[in-house]
Amino acid sequence: MAVTLKQIAEIAGVSRGTVDRALHDRGRVSPEVAERVRRIAEELGYHPNAVGQALARSRKQIKIGIIVQSAETPTMKIVVEGAEQAARALQKEGVEVVIRTMESVDAIQEMLHLDELMEMGIHGLAITPADDAIICEKLNEIADQGIPVVTFNADLPQSRRMCFVGQDNARAGRTAAGLMALMVAQDGKVATITGHLRNDGHRMRCTSFSEELRCIAPGIMTLPIQPCFDRDDCAYELTQHLLAEHPDLAGIYVAANGQHGVCEALREAGRDGKVRVIAYDVTPQNIDEMRQGTISILIDQTAREQGSRPLMLLRDFILYGRRPEHSFCYTGITLKTRYNL
């Protein structure tokens, strides 16, 4: 396993930033401390990333590509904002970030963006991947060329990506199940509406929710999972059908986007506040729905961090050889109600 700057810092009794400055001659480190850090690094066999150092010495601009799927949804708009914020910061360090967005989850379109970015000569890639064999194969090809890949928001754990940044979706789904079990009667009916069944994160939130709910509240009936493709109009129609077929519906778990469509259908049917709704992400629209009492609980996943953190991790690896400490870099699972917004 590669030696990290954190390990060197712990042994030397200094911060990771001090180790970075000492090993890369950035100044502001006393000669004694710098010598100690270099000696420890040598003893541990630490080797900075050769490609990154060569790029830095030649002052060649580093280029990182990022592909964001479903970018028009409220949550992913926040992800894009995080990426744009990080891009502005990295530009000051000579790192160019090329952002490509997609309206939906489309493996073919994603392949076109991947080909374009590779032709541009990117040194690193961040991507919300479609759960498709051709994307997995392409990411492996890119990684085999020595280009680090970070997945975010959605994952392809079977690929050779360097790490994943995003919510622990299985844990989030179990959390939602525990909350739903507390809110509805033990013989009630609960529906699940998600975005895309071919999105790893969406699917994992649904399966873990259903499995946990069956385990802790076997009397609650879980209805078949319905995809709305991240569209409010589709979620609206699905909710209308659910209310017509199941007038005793007690809860709806919205595992991705489509929250507003669900809430509109509940309002029209006079069931808002009566059917418990658990949804994701603290967006302006979701905050309004919660204040009106239509959404009971929001599970936030710090979407802005999911846009910025992958770019910073790639910068650290390309320039300084700092690998992420974990292959799963999980963001938070934060619960919000109308009382703690």
Side-chain angles (χ1 to χ4, degrees):
M1 184 178 293
V3 178
T4 66
L5 295 186
K6 182 181 179 182
Q7 291 172 316
I8 298 172
E10 289 175 349
I11 295 172
V14 297
S15 70
R16 192 164 68 172
T18 298
V19 172
D20 179 58
R21 291 193 295 273
L23 294 179
H24 298 95
D25 297 318
R26 300 183 191 282
R28 293 185 294 155
V29 181
S30 70
E32 295 80 8
V33 171
E35 176 59 29
R36 183 167 78 252
V37 167
R38 294 190 190 100
R39 174 171 47 78
I40 292 171
E42 184 177 355
E43 290 173 354
L44 293 177
Y46 172 78
H47 299 289
N49 183 283
V51 174
Q53 287 201 326
L55 286 168
R57 284 195 298 269
S58 67
R59 296 186 179 275
K60 181 179 179 180
Q61 187 173 52
I62 296 167
K63 191 174 294 183
I64 297 174
I66 179 169
I67 301 175
V68 186
Q69 67 182 5
S70 300
E72 295 305 310
T73 62
T75 300
M76 299 309 285
K77 284 181 179 180
I78 298 174
V79 172
V80 172
E81 289 173 4
E84 291 172 342
Q85 183 179 10
R88 290 191 292 270
L90 290 174
Q91 187 176 27
K92 299 175 183 178
E93 302 179 27
V95 178
E96 179 186 359
V97 176
V98 182
I99 301 174
R100 293 292 180 264
T101 60
M102 300 164 49
E103 289 187 4
S104 185
V105 179
D106 185 327
I108 301 303
Q109 184 183 1
E110 198 158 54
M111 282 290 291
L112 295 175
H113 284 315
L114 287 168
D115 288 337
E116 177 198 9
L117 292 173
M118 291 301 290
E119 289 177 4
M120 294 174 67
I122 60 171
H123 303 98
L125 172 69
I127 182 172
T128 46
D131 190 2
D132 193 291
I134 64 170
I135 298 299
C136 185
E137 183 179 350
K138 185 67 173 181
L139 296 187
N140 287 342
E141 289 177 7
I142 293 171
D144 289 343
Q145 294 180 46
I147 298 173
V149 177
V150 174
T151 58
F152 64 96
N153 189 261
D155 194 16
L156 274 181
Q158 68 272 33
S159 71
R160 289 193 283 278
R161 51 91 168 131
M162 183 168 66
C163 70
F164 164 71
V165 175
Q167 193 171 63
D168 183 341
N169 289 300
R171 189 179 180 189
R174 292 193 297 271
T175 299
L179 294 168
M180 188 67 78
L182 293 173
M183 291 192 298
V184 305
Q186 294 303 296
D187 59 350
K189 293 180 181 179
V190 172
T192 297
I193 295 177
T194 191
H196 298 268
L197 293 176
R198 299 189 68 179
N199 177 293
D200 173 79
H202 296 183
R203 188 175 60 251
M204 192 175 297
R205 287 178 183 174
C206 293
T207 55
S208 61
F209 174 82
S210 299
E211 290 169 359
E212 184 69 13
L213 199 57
R214 282 195 295 268
C215 179
I216 63 176
I220 294 178
M221 178 185 294
T222 54
L223 301 175
I225 298 169
Q226 301 284 346
C228 72
F229 309 104
D230 284 329
R231 291 173 47 183
D232 281 318
D233 59 343
C234 185
Y236 171 84
E237 292 182 4
L238 286 172
T239 306
Q240 281 188 320
H241 289 306
L242 284 167
L243 293 172
E245 293 177 18
H246 306 280
D248 56 344
L249 187 67
I252 299 178
Y253 171 51
V254 189
N257 293 285
Q259 304 97 325
H260 185 59
V262 170
C263 293
E264 278 293 307
L266 289 174
R267 269 192 293 272
E268 286 189 8
R271 301 295 303 281
D272 50 319
K274 299 174 183 176
V275 176
R276 299 297 186 179
V277 177
I278 296 177
Y280 283 84
D281 302 317
V282 179
T283 64
Q285 196 171 52
N286 284 347
I287 290 173
D288 288 342
E289 297 288 5
M290 177 170 280
R291 285 176 174 158
Q292 293 179 52
T294 313
I295 292 178
S296 303
I297 297 176
L298 285 172
I299 302 175
D300 194 43
Q301 59 177 322
T302 54
R304 192 177 301 274
E305 181 184 351
Q306 292 184 30
S308 61
R309 192 173 176 189
L311 299 176
M312 296 305 184
L313 289 172
L314 288 166
R315 182 277 311 270
D316 287 350
F317 179 75
I318 295 166
L319 273 180
Y320 311 123
R322 296 199 293 258
R323 295 190 68 88
E325 295 181 11
H326 305 285
S327 59
F328 292 92
C329 302
Y330 289 130
T331 56
I333 298 176
T334 305
L335 304 182
K336 292 289 186 180
T337 70
R338 62 190 301 179
Y339 302 104
N340 70 334
L341 284 174

